[in-house]
Amino acid sequence: MLCKLKLNGCCCWRWSSSKSEDLSDDDRKDSSRNADVKEEIEDVWNDEEWDKDGNPRNKVALQPGRSLIDWIRLGTSGKDLTGLGSIAGTLSITKQELAKHNQKNDAWTAIRGRVYNITEYFSFHPGGEEELMKGAGVDATALFDQIHPWVNYEQILQKCLVGRLVAINPNIDTEALFFGEKRPSSLKSSNSSLEEPAGKPFGVSAEKQQLLKPPSMPTALPRFDWIQKLDFITIIFYTKAFSNPLVEINPPFNDQTVLICLIYDGIVFKNELVFHEKIRWPCDVNVTIETGKVEFVFKKTSSGIWENYGVLTQRSKSANAALSAQVKTGYVLKRKMSVNHNTWLLQFERQDRKKTLIPIGKHVRVFGTVNGEEISRSYTPVPDNLLDKFVPSSTVGEGVCLMVKRYPEGRISRFITDQKSEDKVQFSKPLGAMDLKTIERRETFLLLAAGTGITPMLGLIMFLLERRIKKCQFLRLLFFNKTEADIPLKRQLEELEELDKRFKMDNVLSQAAESWRGHRGHINASLVQNSLQEHLKDTGYTIKDIFCFICGPPVFNQLAVEELDKLSIGESQIFVFDG
């Protein structure tokens, strides 16, 4: 049940384990499904009791059946809170149309470019119906920011979303509006790209970009939103679910203008943002792969509430994969740590101070010059939290982290591991065919890795264990090495195994000492089958539910596929990393 506590003179709401409010089985299911939402909305309702200066605001006594848990129940009951059915969330609403919905029995409001039907929310609003009516039929962004800019309104009103607020009626002939007359059909079919002039407001820019994009462009630019607190402003872009984007962000020009590049589905989306006021660098970047949500958190130079975020201009163009392989970017070695007797972790940052997020499962080519000859090799970046504590996190680190095994005759591995702090190395853009959409509906996984073939698996493990919508239920790693001393990151992986019971690791050694108590030998169908039987026991899953990732030397990869085929695990259930 929801209980009100008094802490340091401030009122707050928290969930109590008290049995005084018994829930039915259905209610408990609803409550469980919304556990994550509850945590965020609790904080939202706390904040609504106090204004931005810390002073208590007038509140109203809510009627029975109008509590936080009741609003959550209503949202998960299946009732259409928008009144629009299947078209909810897809509409483009002008301010003129928004103004028509300004009555208590038909109330829409707009916050930061999104339009919500708040008719059902009146009786749940802690500030009272009169206060909420002030935002009915109008763009209430300024009013919202004046009272509680830190509130996560997306969570509260997510089931009330009608669509987006636009500056131009979508039924208007926009070609005539922008150009004065219809464009000839030959121009419409042209592949030439007309770019949006800088300095236009986001609403117009997005509409015009949609109109002018070449036929090969995607149907929509990344959706944009923003949230602010007194000292921070968060910029949000919504890419596609499981789009696994490459993210690049430039340091601010004049402490106010940033360029954010999002690359996915073969398209480069350039987002130029001129902030309302100055911000500090660097920023924090958080990526939620499941939903496609990318957040950039900037610290404001001066504390205070801004009246708006500034001006955003969006453009897009086709990505050139061949060019990406040739483009070289300078990085500087910042940190180096020994993993075992012949393997190192190396953390690099870009020389130009940009921040880059390498998509999960992608690799980069590392270039070096030895005796006047340029050499290169592909390496898959690993999570930089391996340098500290290997736990799931959606926060992007400051650079690119590589795990490199040094081979006595390996020219590029010796070149990289010989680098010292502040030495410079060049990387290519991210490369690779990994598509996370292939595992969007999968819940149980088998990873087969040999030696440093563990590197792409590490990012996958973190991603799979932190999934929240369709959670990973079981994750099995068969890790093949020669000796126990050769096993990289053994301690970190064992700690993760203890921390999360869904993850299980089996080490297999081909040259094990007599004292070794684990598996011995090379990959074979019998070994995989025994692990899978233990993996699937009493779970309700079958072999057909398993998805397998494989990475190691070419001979290992080929043998692994052949052995899986003996177990009726076919190509549709397998992805092989091949750099």
Side-chain angles (χ1 to χ4, degrees):
M1 66 184 272
L2 197 62
C3 295
K4 192 171 186 179
L5 308 175
K6 191 113 176 175
L7 300 175
N8 296 326
C10 297
C11 294
C12 62
W13 295 91
R14 285 293 179 265
W15 293 98
S16 167
S17 59
S18 170
K19 298 181 179 180
S20 61
E21 181 182 51
D22 294 326
L23 300 178
S24 67
D25 290 340
D26 288 340
D27 289 337
R28 287 193 180 93
K29 291 177 182 178
D30 286 343
S31 179
S32 177
R33 283 196 301 267
N34 291 279
D36 297 328
V37 176
K38 287 177 188 173
E39 182 177 350
E40 294 189 40
I41 295 181
E42 287 170 16
D43 292 333
V44 167
W45 281 33
N46 285 349
D47 291 333
E48 287 196 355
E49 232 176 307
W50 306 88
D51 65 17
K52 61 185 178 66
D53 296 318
N55 301 313
R57 290 196 302 273
N58 292 331
K59 304 268 294 185
V60 298
L62 297 176
Q63 296 299 314
R66 293 296 183 267
S67 67
L68 170 59
I69 187 64
D70 294 309
W71 177 249
I72 295 175
R73 286 172 175 163
L74 181 63
T76 57
S77 67
K79 182 175 180 178
D80 180 11
L81 300 183
T82 66
L84 297 172
S86 62
I87 64 172
T90 67
L91 300 183
S92 296
I93 312 297
T94 64
K95 287 189 176 182
Q96 291 80 2
E97 177 63 26
L98 176 63
K100 299 175 182 178
H101 302 271
N102 62 351
Q103 304 299 317
K104 184 179 176 183
N105 62 352
D106 178 21
W108 293 5
T109 192
I111 304 176
R112 298 191 185 113
R114 293 183 183 180
V115 179
Y116 299 93
N117 186 338
I118 55 174
T119 307
E120 295 286 348
Y121 187 57
F122 274 104
S123 57
F124 293 87
H125 185 236
E129 297 179 3
E130 183 178 347
E131 286 296 312
L132 195 57
M133 271 299 296
K134 293 178 181 179
V138 299
D139 184 345
T141 302
L143 178 63
F144 179 86
D145 287 341
Q146 179 183 355
I147 299 174
H148 38 38
W150 49 84
V151 168
N152 192 341
Y153 66 91
E154 285 183 291
Q155 292 286 12
I156 287 186
L157 299 178
Q158 59 178 324
K159 298 299 179 67
C160 304
L161 181 63
V162 172
R164 56 177 181 155
L165 188 65
V166 298
I168 302 170
N169 188 328
N171 295 321
I172 289 177
D173 185 347
T174 47
E175 290 189 33
L177 179 63
F178 283 117
F179 301 105
E181 58 182 9
K182 287 275 190 179
R183 288 184 294 167
S185 58
S186 61
L187 179 58
K188 291 183 183 179
S189 61
S190 170
N191 287 327
S192 62
S193 175
L194 300 177
E195 291 191 336
E196 172 74 12
K200 293 292 184 182
F202 166 69
V204 176
S205 174
E207 289 297 313
K208 188 175 177 185
Q209 183 65 48
Q210 288 282 54
L211 172 68
L212 300 180
K213 68 180 186 296
S216 61
M217 290 293 103
T219 56
L221 294 162
R223 187 161 54 86
F224 166 79
D225 200 1
W226 66 291
I227 299 172
Q228 68 170 320
K229 297 182 179 181
L230 287 174
D231 295 311
F232 295 91
I233 181 166
T234 301
I235 299 301
I236 306 168
F237 291 97
Y238 295 90
T239 66
K240 296 180 180 178
F242 286 83
S243 63
N244 194 23
L246 166 63
V247 180
E248 292 186 341
I249 177 169
N250 290 35
F253 175 72
N254 288 338
D255 296 328
Q256 204 160 355
T257 302
V258 297
L259 178 63
I260 298 172
C261 286
L262 305 171
I263 305 176
Y264 59 95
D265 290 348
I267 304 296
V268 180
F269 298 95
K270 291 188 176 181
N271 306 275
E272 183 181 38
L273 181 58
V274 182
F275 282 104
H276 182 67
E277 295 183 23
K278 292 185 176 183
I279 46 89
R280 298 188 186 278
W281 183 261
C283 66
D284 289 332
V285 183
N286 304 298
V287 181
T288 307
I289 299 294
E290 269 192 294
T291 61
K293 184 177 182 180
V294 185
E295 298 176 283
F296 303 88
V297 184
F298 296 89
K299 183 174 177 59
K300 298 176 180 178
T301 300
S302 299
S303 180
I305 297 300
W306 298 356
E307 63 181 49
N308 58 64
Y309 67 87
V311 177
L312 173 68
T313 304
Q314 294 184 294
R315 302 183 180 91
S316 62
K317 66 177 183 179
S318 297
N320 188 326
L323 182 62
S324 295
Q326 300 173 14
V327 173
K328 299 174 184 177
T329 302
Y331 281 78
V332 179
L333 179 61
K334 291 295 184 180
R335 192 174 175 188
K336 183 177 178 180
M337 185 179 82
S338 174
V339 173
N340 59 22
H341 65 97
N342 62 2
T343 306
W344 279 263
L345 282 172
L346 304 103
Q347 186 178 37
F348 296 87
E349 293 182 13
R350 289 182 61 147
Q351 286 180 254
D352 55 14
R353 297 180 62 232
K354 292 182 181 179
K355 294 194 70 166
T356 299
L357 166 63
I358 308 295
I360 293 172
K362 304 291 185 180
H363 61 269
V364 297
R365 290 201 73 80
V366 181
F367 299 90
T369 301
V370 177
N371 298 327
E373 179 186 355
E374 184 178 77
I375 55 177
S376 68
R377 184 182 172 182
S378 296
Y379 290 92
T380 302
V382 299
D384 62 0
N385 55 8
L386 284 167
L387 293 161
D388 299 300
K389 188 172 179 61
F390 190 48
V391 294
S393 172
S394 61
T395 301
V396 180
E398 293 299 318
V400 175
C401 189
L402 301 180
M403 187 170 78
V404 180
K405 181 177 180 179
R406 184 183 178 97
Y407 294 90
E409 303 302 323
R411 292 193 299 167
I412 190 67
S413 68
R414 286 186 290 125
F415 168 80
I416 297 173
T417 54
D418 281 342
Q419 299 299 302
K420 297 179 175 58
S421 180
E422 301 302 319
D423 283 351
K424 298 175 177 59
V425 179
Q426 289 186 317
F427 295 172
S428 73
K429 294 284 188 180
L431 307 166
M434 175 65 190
D435 184 359
L436 289 181
K437 296 186 182 70
T438 59
I439 61 170
E440 184 174 357
R441 299 187 180 280
R442 298 284 185 171
E443 295 179 332
T444 182
F445 301 88
L446 173 67
L447 312 181
L448 304 177
T452 52
I454 190 66
T455 54
M457 306 301 187
L458 297 170
L460 268 175
I461 290 170
M462 290 294 94
F463 164 65
L464 293 173
L465 292 180
E466 68 183 6
R467 284 176 64 174
R468 300 178 66 180
I469 298 175
K470 193 173 185 66
K471 288 190 174 183
C472 168
Q473 300 299 326
F474 303 98
L475 179 58
R476 191 90 173 197
L477 169 65
L478 291 183
F479 196 9
F480 296 82
N481 289 278
K482 288 184 179 180
T483 69
E484 187 173 4
D486 291 324
I487 302 175
L489 305 172
K490 184 173 183 289
R491 174 184 59 80
Q492 290 92 330
L493 291 168
E494 288 175 345
E495 288 176 353
L496 181 63
E497 194 174 10
E498 287 295 317
L499 180 68
D500 196 319
K501 299 304 180 183
R502 295 174 297 168
F503 174 65
K504 174 70 175 176
M505 176 177 63
D506 293 322
N507 284 299
V508 186
L509 302 182
S510 60
Q511 300 176 15
E514 291 186 6
S515 58
W516 177 250
R517 301 302 180 189
H519 298 287
R520 299 168 181 264
H522 300 276
I523 186 169
N524 60 79
S526 177
L527 175 63
V528 175
Q529 185 176 36
N530 290 337
S531 291
L532 286 180
Q533 286 178 346
E534 181 183 347
H535 181 68
L536 298 173
K537 184 179 180 180
D538 300 326
T539 66
Y541 293 99
T542 68
I543 288 286
K544 293 299 182 183
D545 298 312
I546 292 281
F547 193 91
C548 302
F549 290 97
I550 302 171
C551 189
V555 174
F556 173 86
N557 293 345
Q558 181 179 348
L559 183 59
V561 172
E562 293 173 356
E563 296 302 302
L564 290 176
D565 184 62
K566 296 176 183 179
L567 301 176
S568 299
I569 298 177
E571 291 183 2
S572 64
Q573 295 174 256
I574 298 173
F575 181 85
V576 180
F577 289 98
D578 185 8

